[in-house]
Amino acid sequence: MADFSLDSSFIPALHKPSALLPIAKHRESLLYVVETFPVTIVIGQTGSGKTTQLPQYLDSAGWCADGKIIAVTQPRRVAATTVAVRVAEELGCEIGKEVGYSIRFEDLTSSSTRIKFMTDGLLIREALVDPLLTRYSVIMVDEAHERSISTDILLGLLKKIRRKRPELRIIISSATLQAEQYLQFFTEGEDSSQSKENDSLANDICTIVSIEGRTFPVDVLYLEKPAEDYVEKAIETVFDIHSQEGEGDILVFLTGREEIDNAVQAVSERAIDLNSRLGRLQPLPLYAGLSTEQQMYVFDQLPDGTRKVVFSTNIAEASVTIPGIVYVIDTGFVKLRAYDPRTGIESLTATPVSQASASQRAGRAGRTKPGKCFRLYTEDDYQSLPKANVPEIQRSNLAPVILQLKALGIDNIVRFDFLTSPPAELVAKALELLYSLGALDEYAKLTRPLGSRMAELAVEPMMAKTLLSAESFGCLSEILTIAAMTSLGGSVWFHHEGERKRMESSRRKFAVEEGDHLTLLNVYQAFVTKGKKEAKFCHDHNLNYKSLSRAVSIRAQLKRYLERFGITVDESLASREQGADNNKKTEQIRRCLTAGFFAHAARMQPDGTFRNVEGGTILHAHPSSLMFNRKADWVIFHEVMEAGEKKMIRDITKIEKDWLLEYGAEFYTVSKKG
DNA sequence: GCTCTTGAT
């Protein structure tokens, strides 16, 4: 194959000699600062080179002597891998040798690794084995301003570790807004042994360094008066830009799939009437629910004279970078997850963005040349927006986090040094659930072996309990599969536009009367046996190949954990059983699920809706569930989420009422008191 | 009756 092309004969922009990056001239001062201060906060805009260059500077300055490692954490897997590959190239080494990465299911490091990129969640798990993270001389936490739960927890742990390891160097990279907050976090409580007016000691711990970025200016424009319908206004603005502004692609931020699909359709319909002098408009959708190949379209180079318009969720705000965007339209909304500790119900609602998000969105217009950002709200509206989003830790179900903290030896959750403390109700609710599952005892101490094992398994507490009960119900192999399948979060089925009927009938072929969990089990077993784990099988049956392959990895990993606990998994039982044996097995699986999910129980009413156990909450079966159009009595479900006015439950299985008392007696007696 | 913002172990 001829390998000559324009692409390969030029050096891509990413691989500019690193001496040209803005960070290069700060090299000496950065090294001095890291040498002098245990904690360094680096404020660096996109394109400053902090993530790729700083670890190399540290390495050459000797921070990897004695076999110590420089760790750089990222909130996302792709970031960890792509940055690692790039740094390896710059250093001219093979990935996995001096420079490596480690993410779930993929560890490309070796004994010679000196710079290691990884997800922050994985580093937290390493602390379970090595509480002081002694392998690392420097830990750099990148993208800390995103305030994900794992980043927040990691920062709390690092503050604690630092007191016992004064030689450890911590680097936090953050956007401007929060820098002071990190400084305060790492200095407060550190000078208690000294006199209080002595500020200089605090200043010895932590310092802030700013590095200029390499982006182009973006003009920000506001509406004079608020828009009535932001989707319609966004579409009109697309056509205004197309007829009045120069070349360049457009990125529009909307809140979800429905809005995006509608907008894409509206633009293609109205584009037919365009004056031919203007050139074509090509609208494209972008959201996480699309398959990988559909997502790739946004990177396609379009013919000259065609303008690309990408309608996206906030996936384009930080996770996906589309080259060539010159115009951004920001509708000012994002869907955010929230959790109500009183009902245990998560909700998903469109919320105004924060100023930080708005500026991140605007920045997407200035990556290749000067750009413009059209904010579909007034400047006054902007001023009244919150500075930053509410951190995830303040609006999530904390049961998994608290279980993990307990396993790390942090008994007193309330006294843990959180960057931002979670509300007391969230903590109380999580403790209550963990107690009812048997993970914590009456003194809120982690139980052994149950609680510590639950913490080690990479699934949420209710499923972890189910897994660890499965051996006694004689259905371990099946529950392993169900745990892997439910952790995919509903991405098992897949359909192209207009193929919904086809998908429904595919789904019916795998349906099992008792409910969604057994149906998922059926799908998995068909995929690995008849389907030979091949993409074609998925394609033929409207299944998501990427998800099912992931389920295979997750299942294997969970199985390894169980074997490490000394629990043997007998796979011979997993083969299809017939007749009475099969019914008995099915009942054991349903009982076992109840042992973990008793807190998620409901009863179907004559009208087909569900009520929770207390009776006060109306729940609807999610349209993806078998129970959406079938009869049932008592059921347990994996998840409940409020979207719009409806509270919907998904992954539903029929159970017997008596089982709830048999396996969840504690929970229901406690609930009655409250 | 008709569907999920985004990440992660």
Side-chain angles (χ1 to χ4, degrees):
Chain A
M1 212 193 300
D3 209 7
F4 181 82
S5 73
L6 277 178
D7 283 351
S8 61
S9 49
F10 285 94
I11 302 165
L14 282 179
H15 301 116
K16 275 189 188 87
S18 38
L20 292 180
L21 286 166
I23 195 175
K25 60 174 178 283
H26 299 285
R27 185 192 150 113
E28 293 312 316
S29 56
L30 275 166
L31 285 174
Y32 169 78
V33 161
V34 174
E35 177 80 42
T36 314
F37 297 90
V39 183
T40 304
I41 295 153
V42 179
I43 303 169
Q45 306 302 328
T46 32
S48 64
K50 59 185 159 45
T51 315
T52 55
Q53 304 309 305
L54 190 47
Q56 297 184 51
Y57 298 166
L58 294 166
D59 177 23
S60 60
W63 284 96
C64 298
D66 323 322
K68 295 276 189 198
I69 301 169
I70 297 166
V72 184
T73 71
Q74 296 289 330
R76 282 171 292 279
R77 294 159 54 93
V78 265
T81 56
T82 52
V83 178
V85 168
R86 209 162 94 203
V87 172
E89 274 172 15
E90 285 187 14
L91 280 173
C93 74
E94 197 184 316
I95 184 79
K97 295 284 171 56
E98 285 76 17
V99 180
Y101 67 81
S102 192
I103 57 177
R104 188 182 187 185
F105 306 130
E106 255 183 283
D107 181 14
L108 247 70
T109 59
S110 62
S111 54
S112 54
T113 299
R114 299 202 303 264
I115 302 175
K116 174 172 164 183
F117 293 88
M118 62 202 303
T119 48
D120 39 26
L122 201 68
L123 186 59
I124 295 173
R125 289 188 77 85
E126 279 192 10
L128 281 175
V129 187
D130 176 12
L132 294 181
L133 299 173
T134 52
R135 306 171 64 193
Y136 305 105
S137 56
V138 182
I139 295 172
M140 172 168 171
V141 182
D142 208 1
E143 313 284 355
H145 58 273
E146 290 187 18
R147 301 298 307 272
S148 74
I149 288 193
S150 359
T151 308
D152 273 20
I153 294 296
L154 182 58
L155 292 175
L157 289 177
L158 288 176
K159 180 170 177 182
K160 207 170 140 87
I161 291 171
R162 203 197 70 73
R163 296 196 183 111
K164 292 181 183 156
R165 283 191 61 200
E167 83 290 357
L168 174 69
R169 287 301 179 264
I170 298 167
I171 300 172
I172 291 145
S173 106
S174 167
T176 323
L177 276 172
Q178 274 106 355
E180 284 293 333
Q181 193 186 357
Y182 294 114
L183 183 99
Q184 212 171 26
F185 175 69
F186 276 98
T187 47
E188 78 193 352
E190 297 296 324
D191 55 346
S192 51
S193 60
Q194 306 286 321
S195 70
K196 288 200 187 77
E197 60 269 35
N198 185 357
D199 276 350
S200 69
L201 184 74
N203 293 340
D204 286 346
I205 293 168
C206 188
T207 192
I208 299 177
V209 179
S210 285
I211 300 164
E212 68 275 29
R214 191 212 279 282
T215 48
F216 297 89
V218 176
D219 270 349
V220 177
L221 299 98
Y222 294 94
L223 288 185
E224 273 174 27
K225 52 178 205 284
E228 272 175 37
D229 175 348
Y230 64 78
V231 179
E232 178 55 29
K233 187 72 189 170
I235 295 168
E236 286 167 15
T237 309
V238 166
F239 283 95
D240 289 347
I241 292 172
H242 191 53
S243 58
Q244 292 161 32
E245 300 280 346
E247 271 183 29
D249 295 336
I250 306 173
L251 172 61
V252 187
F253 285 99
L254 293 172
T255 69
R257 180 184 177 151
E258 195 183 0
E259 277 177 13
I260 289 169
D261 288 344
N262 290 341
V264 166
Q265 209 188 339
V267 169
S268 23
E269 280 164 11
R270 293 186 213 176
I272 297 169
D273 305 328
L274 271 184
N275 187 330
S276 58
R277 175 181 56 84
L278 286 174
R280 294 188 56 231
L281 264 183
Q282 176 66 60
L284 293 166
L286 178 65
Y287 43 85
L290 291 173
S291 69
T292 323
E293 41 173 337
Q294 283 175 306
Q295 285 186 9
M296 296 313 279
Y297 290 133
V298 305
F299 297 107
D300 283 356
Q301 180 90 41
L302 296 183
D304 270 358
T306 301
R307 197 196 295 265
K308 193 192 292 182
V309 190
V310 178
F311 289 93
S312 173
T313 60
N314 56 337
I315 191 174
E317 202 178 295
S319 308
V320 176
T321 302
I322 309 158
I325 297 296
V326 179
Y327 305 100
V328 162
I329 300 173
D330 176 11
T331 56
F333 286 92
V334 64
K335 275 191 186 169
L336 278 187
R337 190 211 289 268
Y339 178 79
D340 180 347
R342 264 185 31 262
T343 58
I345 293 174
E346 285 188 321
S347 59
L348 198 57
T349 30
T351 327
V353 294
S354 64
Q355 292 183 3
S357 273
S359 94
Q360 176 77 13
R361 289 176 172 195
R364 297 269 131 179
R367 297 190 56 99
T368 41
K369 61 178 188 178
K372 282 189 181 176
C373 172
F374 299 84
R375 290 184 173 155
L376 303 187
Y377 39 96
T378 67
E379 192 162 4
D380 284 348
D381 288 340
Y382 171 79
Q383 293 304 338
S384 63
L385 291 176
K387 289 257 181 295
N389 287 337
V390 177
E392 226 182 354
I393 202 160
Q394 293 192 307
R395 50 184 170 88
S396 307
N397 168 15
L398 296 182
V401 182
I402 289 181
L403 185 59
Q404 205 166 26
L405 286 173
K406 293 271 177 185
L408 287 163
I410 292 143
D411 274 329
N412 194 334
I413 300 298
V414 178
R415 278 185 46 204
F416 181 71
D417 223 328
F418 290 103
L419 194 57
T420 314
S421 293
E425 299 91 348
L426 285 180
V427 177
K429 178 81 175 184
L431 289 170
E432 195 182 295
L433 175 71
L434 291 171
Y435 172 69
S436 74
L437 289 169
L440 301 178
D441 65 19
E442 60 224 273
Y443 306 103
K445 286 240 187 221
L446 195 67
T447 57
R448 283 172 206 280
L450 181 60
S452 56
R453 286 177 174 178
M454 281 173 63
E456 251 187 273
L457 289 167
V459 290
E460 336 88 290
M462 289 194 270
M463 189 51 90
K465 171 68 185 290
T466 307
L467 259 175
L468 291 168
S469 313
E471 194 184 23
S472 67
F473 285 98
C475 54
L476 186 49
S477 171
E478 289 81 1
I479 295 290
L480 263 175
T481 302
I482 290 170
M485 290 294 278
T486 51
S487 69
L488 299 175
S491 57
V492 172
W493 300 97
F494 173 78
H495 67 104
H496 286 98
E497 231 175 57
E499 267 189 347
R500 212 179 65 202
K501 281 242 165 73
R502 206 179 94 102
M503 180 185 71
E504 296 293 346
S505 71
S506 294
R507 206 189 257 163
R508 232 170 291 136
K509 277 184 262 168
F510 295 98
V512 177
E513 175 61 27
E514 286 83 356
D516 298 318
H517 294 93
L518 285 138
T519 302
L520 289 171
L521 173 64
N522 213 7
V523 168
Y524 182 92
Q525 283 177 343
F527 174 63
V528 298
T529 56
K530 257 194 306 184
K532 302 184 187 113
K533 301 187 189 168
E534 284 169 4
K536 184 179 181 303
F537 176 83
C538 294
H539 192 260
D540 294 348
H541 295 90
N542 285 86
L543 291 163
N544 187 334
Y545 175 64
K546 210 170 98 187
S547 296
L548 283 175
S549 308
R550 194 174 155 76
V552 173
S553 309
I554 295 174
R555 189 184 188 283
Q557 191 190 36
L558 293 173
K559 186 177 169 181
R560 282 197 300 277
Y561 280 123
L562 292 176
E563 284 168 347
R564 207 188 305 149
F565 302 151
I567 300 169
T568 45
V569 184
D570 186 352
E571 300 284 19
S572 66
L573 291 172
S575 59
R576 241 219 168 95
E577 286 159 66
Q578 299 295 320
D581 267 0
N582 193 27
N583 285 338
K584 199 175 145 214
K585 174 61 71 72
T586 301
E587 178 176 329
Q588 290 303 93
I589 294 170
R590 289 157 60 219
R591 281 177 177 269
C592 183
L593 285 165
T594 312
F597 286 85
F598 50 79
H600 277 178
R603 188 181 197 183
M604 192 184 262
Q605 308 300 305
D607 66 356
T609 64
F610 290 87
R611 294 286 182 288
N612 67 343
V613 175
E614 287 78 22
T617 310
I618 301 171
L619 304 164
H620 299 264
H622 191 275
S624 69
S625 171
L626 275 172
M627 299 309 157
F628 184 65
N629 47 21
R630 286 178 202 222
K631 287 260 171 290
D633 190 22
W634 286 92
V635 298
I636 53 94
F637 54 87
H638 185 78
E639 198 176 44
V640 48
M641 177 159 281
E642 186 172 359
E645 304 94 77
K646 280 185 176 173
K647 299 175 174 73
M648 288 198 286
I649 55 178
R650 54 179 304 134
D651 292 341
I652 306 169
T653 282
K654 294 178 182 174
I655 57 149
E656 301 294 328
K657 182 191 177 190
D658 296 348
W659 300 349
L660 287 175
L661 285 171
E662 198 169 328
Y663 308 117
E666 194 76 58
F667 182 80
Y668 285 106
T669 43
V670 171
S671 296
K672 265 181 222 147
K673 272 188 256 163

